[in-house]
Amino acid sequence: NDRVTVQIAEYGAEMRRIVFDGVDYLWSGDEDVWSGTAPIMFPICGALVDDKYIYEGKEYTLPKHGFARCSEFKLKRKGDDFAVFSLESSEETLKCYPFRFELLVTYKLSGNKVEVGFNVINKDDKIMYFSIGSHEAYACPEGIEDYDVIFPQNETPPSPKEKR
């Protein structure tokens, strides 16, 4: 729109730039430091012990943060202020994640905001286990000291002894 421009790669459906009033607020993706800018983590966030898990008696290997971040998505729909990307299960994904699925990632410009939505569709007739998240890396052009993380209400993290 007239204030925000977002560049998204089909590889990983990853935002590569968020330019607001002429300033790029995403990390540059410097290969010498970290090549990511905003990878999508699916079907897991984090890592498994030895990258392995067992499902229905069979061992599978799944890389840290899953495979979406290094998969080719297809642009499914686009308009002046939105884009929808799709990743579907394949013979390759079934080798490490035994579920048939479609992952839809929607980016929508709304005023000076970028809204990101995830829709995971289970295409099997069994329960599909997954987690999903994103790992945006924002640039702080004026220095990190000039930024705050603000929650809509006061938050108190539970102590390790408290039940969540």
Side-chain angles (χ1 to χ4, degrees):
N1 62 26
D2 60 339
R3 299 199 64 199
V4 181
T5 301
V6 179
Q7 181 184 46
I8 305 160
E10 287 182 339
Y11 184 79
E14 182 175 8
M15 288 188 294
R16 300 305 291 179
R17 299 183 75 202
I18 300 175
V19 179
F20 178 69
D21 289 342
V23 178
D24 192 348
Y25 283 93
L26 271 185
W27 162 251
S28 66
D30 181 346
E31 297 277 341
D32 291 335
V33 180
W34 180 58
S35 63
T37 53
I40 294 169
M41 299 176 288
F42 174 84
I44 61 167
C45 300
L48 301 166
V49 175
D50 297 325
D51 294 333
K52 299 191 182 311
Y53 68 100
I54 296 173
Y55 177 75
E56 293 186 341
K58 184 176 177 189
E59 184 176 270
Y60 294 89
T61 300
L62 195 57
K64 181 178 181 182
H65 299 318
F67 49 75
R69 63 193 177 109
C70 50
S71 295
E72 195 70 34
F73 282 68
K74 292 181 181 162
L75 180 61
K76 193 159 188 167
R77 293 187 305 278
K78 70 176 182 171
D80 290 339
D81 64 349
F82 76 95
V84 180
F85 294 84
S86 169
L87 176 66
E88 293 193 57
S89 54
S90 65
E91 292 307 314
E92 203 58 34
T93 65
L94 290 168
K95 291 176 186 174
C96 63
Y97 182 66
F99 302 98
R100 297 189 186 283
F101 68 89
E102 181 176 14
L103 168 58
L104 298 170
V105 181
T106 302
Y107 295 97
K108 181 169 179 27
L109 294 179
S110 179
N112 63 355
K113 297 184 229 174
V114 180
E115 297 173 359
V116 182
F118 301 111
N119 187 9
V120 180
I121 301 164
N122 182 353
K123 293 192 167 185
D124 270 324
D125 54 2
K126 59 186 175 184
I127 294 173
M128 184 174 84
Y129 302 95
F130 71 92
S131 59
I132 191 163
S134 56
H135 192 315
E136 293 92 353
Y138 294 101
C140 301
E142 302 86 12
I144 198 163
E145 301 79 18
D146 292 337
Y147 293 85
D148 294 306
V149 176
I150 300 171
F151 294 93
Q153 69 269 343
N154 288 334
E155 299 285 342
T156 304
S159 72
K161 294 179 182 180
E162 289 180 56
K163 290 188 176 183
R164 295 178 188 225

